[in-house]
Amino acid sequence: METYAARTASDAPGAPAPGLLVGWALTALGLALMGPGLTHLCGRLLQSARPGALRLLAGRVLMEEAARIGRPLGVVCAVASAAYATAAVYDADGPGGSAFGPLSTLGALLVAGCAVATLLTAAVEAKHARADTTAALLRLGAPAGTLRGAAAVRAGALGALFGPLTLAVAELAALPLAGS
């Protein structure tokens, strides 16, 4: 849809076509809706193929927290891909003439900051929600290093899935504007 909309003439010179903006909005909505499913899949993949205690714990926690942190993670993915695509398009315009002014920069920083703050808030809520489980594991003799290791494995797995996804969506979002 974005590629087709980019071929149509825009009303204002230099502004993207309305269909292109609708395509970007649908992409962002799709990433936000896919976030919990992808987070759950990440947890499922961590537990596959004879996992040890660390991967099993990390996968179970990801599956349990998928609904809570998945949607904000999808939104951060959408915002990061939009920022990357915008930077790629404006960087392609040339070194001297950037149409990205101070108010646009402020708006972009505000949107990105709010998305990251929402993700951090969801992560803190998830940590507080599993505080009883963490305390029970520590009482049973689980090393604190194992719990920290499981958190690092969760973060690494989410980064390994959502990082390339963000770059792929950004490249596809910038593709219709590269020719204009």
Side-chain angles (χ1 to χ4, degrees), residues 51-102:
L54 188 68
R55 281 186 27 220
L56 187 63
L57 180 62
R60 293 286 178 174
V61 170
L62 269 181
M63 288 173 58
E64 184 69 29
E65 295 175 351
R68 181 168 298 169
I69 64 169
R71 200 168 316 274
L73 194 56
V75 170
V76 167
C77 180
V79 168
S81 65
Y84 181 84
T86 302
V89 167
Y90 281 130
D91 191 35
D93 285 344
S98 177
F100 209 65

Side-chain angles (χ1 to χ4, degrees), residues 54 57-58 127 130 134 137-138 142-156:
L54 188 68
L57 180 62
K127 181 179 178 181
R130 69 175 185 274
T134 302
L137 285 171
L138 289 172
T146 301
L147 299 177
R148 284 191 296 272
V153 168
R154 285 194 308 268

